[in-house]
Amino acid sequence: QKEVEQNSGPLSVPEGAIASLNCTYSDRGSQSFFWYRQYSGKSPELIMSIYSNGDQEDGRFTAQLNKASQYVSLLIRDSQPSDSATYLCAGVNTGGFKTIFGAGTRLFVKA
Amino acid sequence: DADVTQTPRNRITKTGKRIMLECSQTKGHDRMYWYRQDPGLGLRLIYYSFDVKDINKGEISDGYSVSRQAQAKFSLSLESAIPNQTALYFCATSGGRGANTGELFFGEGSRLTVL
């Protein structure tokens, strides 16, 4: 079992809809979680960080963390074609030394 | 100029050749990482370094070695390249006052093909 699991997709949503991306993790000691966006042929870029249970909002993006369920999600409101990318979920392991990534979910936003 | 620079950006080599991928950064971060990315497998950690005298193995270090020549430079070597090392390699940094280890800044990537 991978330490960070994501559905590979692709997830397709119409422009203006809410895109919901999900991630589960196995390391119960993980305290910090991140969402990275990676456009095709480009490097990953950090878009959201979340450290405590609940929601963390930044513009159209909301990250959600539920440590009891070991579940992290990313909501993208008012999805735009420019949001089409692969979204990588990541967590820092117990001890805080390593960042482990999921395989990523491909998102397509249709105009 | 990019804050995290990788060279070469693309390299094609043959089985058994020695290859070095280089990474330099101007962000002043202490922590540097090498990841490889394969389709369907995401990013996997090869090695990481928290300062010049600190080198640690990641998830998939077999067949790789690293050198931290200075705070700003971290190179990855494949002593004898094999075809299943064909991948996209990323260097990343983290650090800065109050920064979390997981807040990574990536280079543009080095695409390596081993024939």
Side-chain angles (χ1 to χ4, degrees):
Chain A
Q1 180 191 8
K2 272 185 70 72
E3 294 182 48
V4 178
E5 298 263 13
Q6 294 181 255
N7 186 324
S8 62
L11 173 65
S12 183
V13 300
E15 184 175 0
I18 296 175
S20 178
L21 303 158
N22 305 311
C23 167
T24 59
Y25 62 94
S26 60
D27 183 350
R28 284 198 168 273
S30 293
Q31 298 295 318
S32 308
F33 299 90
F34 307 87
W35 285 97
Y36 286 79
R37 178 178 62 200
Q38 186 176 23
Y39 291 115
S40 182
K42 301 296 185 181
S43 55
E45 170 193 20
L46 178 66
I47 56 171
M48 291 294 293
S49 306
I50 187 163
Y51 306 108
S52 56
N53 279 329
D55 295 358
Q56 182 74 37
E57 185 174 321
D58 184 0
R60 295 186 297 112
F61 298 97
T62 299
Q64 299 173 316
L65 173 60
N66 183 324
K67 291 186 178 180
S69 300
Q70 296 176 245
Y71 183 87
V72 190
S73 64
L74 178 70
L75 300 178
I76 306 175
R77 290 181 299 282
D78 189 24
S79 295
Q80 301 297 309
S82 59
D83 294 325
S84 298
T86 296
Y87 290 80
L88 302 166
C89 175
V92 175
N93 74 321
T94 301
F97 299 136
K98 298 186 291 186
T99 303
I100 306 299
F101 285 82
T105 299
R106 293 188 68 189
L107 172 67
F108 292 104
V109 181
K110 299 174 292 185
Chain B
D1 288 343
D3 293 327
V4 183
T5 303
Q6 293 183 230
T7 57
R9 294 290 312 282
N10 287 284
R11 182 74 183 267
I12 299 173
T13 191
K14 294 182 179 180
T15 297
K17 294 293 188 182
R18 184 178 188 273
I19 295 297
M20 178 180 286
L21 306 179
E22 297 182 314
C23 178
S24 63
Q25 52 114 346
T26 58
K27 299 190 74 67
H29 290 169
D30 290 326
R31 304 170 211 154
M32 298 188 73
Y33 309 81
W34 277 104
Y35 284 88
R36 69 175 274 177
Q37 187 171 39
D38 300 275
L41 295 178
L43 288 160
R44 292 183 291 167
L45 183 61
I46 306 172
Y47 272 95
Y48 60 104
S49 168
F50 281 10
D51 67 40
V52 174
K53 296 182 180 179
D54 177 73
I55 302 288
N56 303 280
K57 294 183 177 181
E59 303 168 83
I60 53 163
S61 57
D62 288 349
Y64 301 95
S65 62
V66 291
S67 173
R68 184 83 183 264
Q69 300 95 326
Q71 188 216 26
K73 295 184 181 296
F74 191 37
S75 60
L76 175 72
S77 293
L78 289 67
E79 296 301 325
S80 179
I82 56 177
N84 77 359
Q85 292 177 314
T86 293
L88 182 58
Y89 290 84
F90 285 105
C91 175
T93 73
S94 71
R97 186 179 300 277
N100 188 287
T101 296
E103 296 175 357
L104 298 172
F105 296 86
F106 286 86
E108 295 173 306
S110 297
R111 184 168 297 281
L112 176 65
T113 303
V114 183
L115 302 177

